[in-house]
Amino acid sequence: ELAASIEESGQQVPVLLRPSKTRDGYFEVIYGQRRILACRHLGITVRALIRTLEDKDALLAKGLENSGRAELSFHERVRFAQAILDQGYSRPDACQALAISKNTLSQLERIYRLIPASVGEAIGAAPSAGRPKWMSLATAFESGQVKTNRITDILESSAGLSSDERLDAVLRE
């Protein structure tokens, strides 16, 4: 889908790189990795912006780029917030990168902690689902209303459904 939209638009795609800290002449992708792969698939040259950035500045740039994407779902924000924290950044840094409050970050962390990663990945982005549905699922796991193996069975039997439909099927359980 990304490759098709890039090809149709005929526009340059935003990509930010920084020089590698460990290998001379190499670069680290700050944002645009999927765009680079799509352009490589299409045989399109990528023009990248190259900046020397400290880790915190790179994180902020990535957060600003991700927050500007219309298709970033709530569940993707949950995973992105956790990835920031897992990389050793502080909670205030994560809040700044995601442009969210401490309370919102706590909610994202709670959802990540309570919903097994395998369930979240099997459901997918669920782009139409917001915080209430994911919080409902997290609460159901916390209270023991649902079990991972039962949810896994539901998700395996609903493989042909969209991610929003898979989340709805799980919530009906």
Side-chain angles (χ1 to χ4, degrees):
E1 290 178 14
L2 180 59
S5 86
I6 289 171
E7 191 170 44
E8 287 174 14
S9 73
Q11 299 174 0
Q12 289 294 325
V13 293
V15 173
L16 178 62
L17 308 176
R18 73 175 176 180
S20 172
K21 292 181 179 181
T22 58
R23 297 177 69 187
D24 286 342
Y26 287 81
F27 297 90
E28 174 188 352
V29 178
I30 303 303
Y31 59 74
Q33 184 170 354
R34 291 185 301 169
R35 296 175 198 133
I36 292 169
L37 294 172
C39 287
R40 185 178 294 157
H41 174 76
L42 295 169
I44 297 173
T45 302
V46 175
R47 292 183 53 142
L49 182 61
I50 300 173
R51 295 285 184 256
T52 301
L53 299 169
E54 295 299 320
D55 290 344
K56 186 174 179 179
D57 295 327
L59 172 68
L60 292 175
K62 182 184 276 188
L64 287 172
E65 170 66 13
N66 279 337
S67 67
R69 285 178 42 216
E71 73 271 6
L72 196 64
S73 73
F74 186 80
H75 187 251
E76 289 169 325
R77 287 175 47 128
V78 167
R79 293 176 54 190
F80 184 50
Q82 191 60 47
I84 291 169
L85 296 172
D86 287 347
Q87 291 174 26
Y89 289 99
S90 68
R91 295 181 90 251
D93 287 344
C95 289
Q96 187 176 10
L98 293 164
I100 58 174
S101 68
K102 291 186 298 184
N103 183 46
T104 300
L105 180 60
S106 293
Q107 291 173 354
L108 298 176
E109 288 177 290
R110 181 172 186 261
I111 290 168
Y112 185 85
R113 185 180 71 252
L114 294 173
I115 299 174
S118 61
V119 171
E121 289 170 14
I123 290 171
S128 297
R131 183 184 60 79
K133 286 186 177 183
W134 288 100
M135 287 296 285
S136 293
L137 183 57
T139 301
F141 272 106
E142 183 177 43
S143 68
Q145 289 177 303
V146 294
K147 302 289 183 214
T148 304
N149 57 354
R150 175 66 184 131
I151 298 304
T152 301
D153 291 343
I154 291 168
L155 291 169
E156 286 174 0
S157 68
S158 60
L161 300 177
S162 72
S163 59
D164 284 306
E165 292 167 330
R166 287 191 300 273
L167 178 57
D168 288 339
V170 167
L171 288 172
R172 281 192 297 274
E173 177 62 23

